[in-house]
Amino acid sequence: MSLIPDEAELVSAATAGDVLVDLGVVAPGTAVAARALSGGISNVVLAVSWDGGRAVLKQSLPKLRVATEWTFDRGRIRNERRCMELLGERLPEGTVPSVLSHDDDRFLFVMSHAAGGGANWKDELLAGRVDLETARRAGALLGTIHAWSAGDAQVAERFADQTPLLQGRVDPYHRTAAERNPDLADAVLGEVDRLLETRRALVLGDWSPKNLLAYPDHVLALDFEVAHWGDPAFDVAFLLTHLVLKGVRRPQDRPALRAAAGAFLDAYMSSVGAVAPNDGDVVAELGCLLLARVDGKSPAEYLTGEIATGRVRVMARDLLLGGGRHLGPVLDHLLS
């Protein structure tokens, strides 16, 4: 991913209509309404609508919305768009949004709007609604992506650049957490070395409940800016990290969250085949990611207070210093 200057002007609700005209999404003179959606820490995201149509416009920010400096090349938006286009070709309709148009020079693209009737899985989990079928679908879809991509040399070449992984995850997550926990630095940095050396499949990099919309019969996946050719263990650990963190936030839901973790893993393993990561790699990455969500550059916003963050640090330390290499017992312990 080559570095690109950051001069491109940010799109706003006031200028979104002009952008859609420029891209040929709507005809000149079309009245367009726009409103901001949550873009997380890294993007401008606008829901746009006009007579007879609607879409979502997404543009990468030159500076991420975090308290500390986090360098992440704006060209990540092109990486996301390419991944979304690829997944749209390979997966059932409705699994990912469709790319309608794009402008690489302005670091943006326009995609189809999610259909009504979906619920954000993160919101559902934080409200105590733990649906096992959603967990199964999330696991089956991830396993399917890892399985079909693993033997595809063209996909490996298209996503060979590790810049998204380094700038989007390893530097702000692993290495920052290692700096803030010197006693764990060797273990974390050893896992970084293993992670960077493992190149087996298309890894999404943000397989998180916040990026999964749950429908009665399927899930819709969002956000692929960290997509890269890498280690499937990362995506598995990333999702499990979020289930464990929800258990810290809501202790009363731990049994249900443990069941969801099991449903996710069972469906994943049934779909992924020979490219499945081993338990030890997932456990090691889980330890790193748990630590990163309290001591990295993007801490989980719903974990407040030293009791909660301290519990997560203890969990991470146990995993990183040899607290178990088999996922079942590890998850039993973390979600007990």
Side-chain angles (χ1 to χ4, degrees):
M1 181 182 294
S2 61
L3 295 177
I4 302 175
D6 289 338
E7 289 84 1
E9 181 180 354
L10 290 179
V11 179
S12 67
T15 61
D18 294 334
V19 173
L20 295 184
V21 171
D22 292 344
L23 295 178
V25 177
V26 301
T30 301
V32 174
R35 61 181 179 85
L37 299 174
S38 172
I41 63 173
S42 59
N43 299 287
V44 172
V45 184
L46 299 170
V48 292
S49 60
W50 59 93
D51 186 19
R54 62 177 182 165
V56 173
L57 192 157
K58 186 170 185 178
Q59 183 182 40
S60 56
L61 289 167
K63 182 177 176 58
L64 275 62
R65 303 184 185 105
V66 292
T68 56
E69 185 68 22
W70 179 345
T71 299
F72 199 175
D73 178 12
R74 289 186 78 185
R76 64 187 182 270
I77 198 79
R78 294 179 301 161
N79 188 60
E80 175 171 18
R81 188 254 307 164
R82 289 196 299 264
C83 182
M84 190 178 294
E85 289 172 336
L86 174 65
L87 294 176
E89 295 170 359
R90 300 293 187 93
L91 298 176
E93 184 176 355
T95 304
V96 298
S98 300
V99 177
L100 305 179
S101 190
H102 67 275
D103 186 333
D104 287 343
D105 292 335
R106 285 190 279 184
F107 308 105
L108 60 83
F109 66 83
V110 181
M111 59 183 164
S112 58
H113 195 290
N120 183 276
W121 194 23
K122 174 184 176 181
D123 293 343
E124 292 293 289
L125 292 173
L126 287 175
R129 295 186 289 269
V130 183
D131 181 58
L132 298 189
E133 193 56 40
T134 299
R136 291 188 190 97
R137 288 172 178 147
L141 182 56
L142 181 63
T144 298
I145 294 169
H146 287 169
W148 65 249
S149 65
D152 195 318
Q154 290 185 333
V155 177
E157 182 178 359
R158 288 170 67 181
F159 293 92
D161 190 348
Q162 290 186 307
T163 301
L165 174 62
L166 290 167
Q167 293 188 348
R169 292 293 177 261
V170 169
D171 290 343
Y173 279 52
H174 302 67
R175 289 174 176 157
T176 299
E179 289 174 4
R180 296 173 179 175
N181 295 271
D183 60 320
L184 299 176
D186 287 347
V188 173
L189 297 179
E191 168 59 13
V192 167
D193 290 342
R194 188 206 63 78
L195 182 67
L196 295 177
E197 291 171 0
T198 306
R199 318 293 298 276
R200 301 178 63 200
L202 178 65
V203 174
L204 290 314
D206 203 358
W207 200 253
S208 162
K210 74 178 176 64
N211 295 326
L212 293 166
L213 299 184
Y215 292 86
D217 59 351
H218 71 286
V219 293
L220 173 72
L222 305 167
D223 285 4
F224 309 104
E225 62 189 9
V226 191
H228 61 279
W229 187 255
D231 181 11
F234 185 88
D235 281 341
V236 176
F238 205 85
L239 192 284
L240 293 175
T241 296
H242 286 277
L243 296 181
V244 172
L245 293 177
K246 302 301 184 293
V248 175
R249 170 71 177 186
R250 295 181 58 87
Q252 67 272 33
D253 293 339
R254 287 175 192 163
L257 290 165
R258 175 62 183 93
F264 165 78
L265 287 170
D266 287 347
Y268 174 80
M269 294 301 294
S270 294
S271 300
V272 71
V275 74
N278 65 59
D279 278 14
D281 293 342
V282 176
V283 170
E285 190 57 35
L286 179 59
C288 290
L289 292 172
L290 285 170
L291 191 66
R293 297 320 299 263
V294 292
D295 288 328
K297 292 187 177 181
S298 181
E301 82 287 351
Y302 54 84
L303 290 182
T304 58
E306 185 55 37
I307 293 178
T309 57
R311 177 180 173 83
V312 175
R313 288 190 188 96
V314 169
M315 290 176 170
R317 180 171 282 103
D318 286 347
L319 298 185
L320 289 167
L321 298 182
R325 309 310 294 172
H326 299 288
L327 263 177
V330 164
L331 292 170
D332 289 343
H333 174 67
L334 295 177
L335 288 168
S336 63

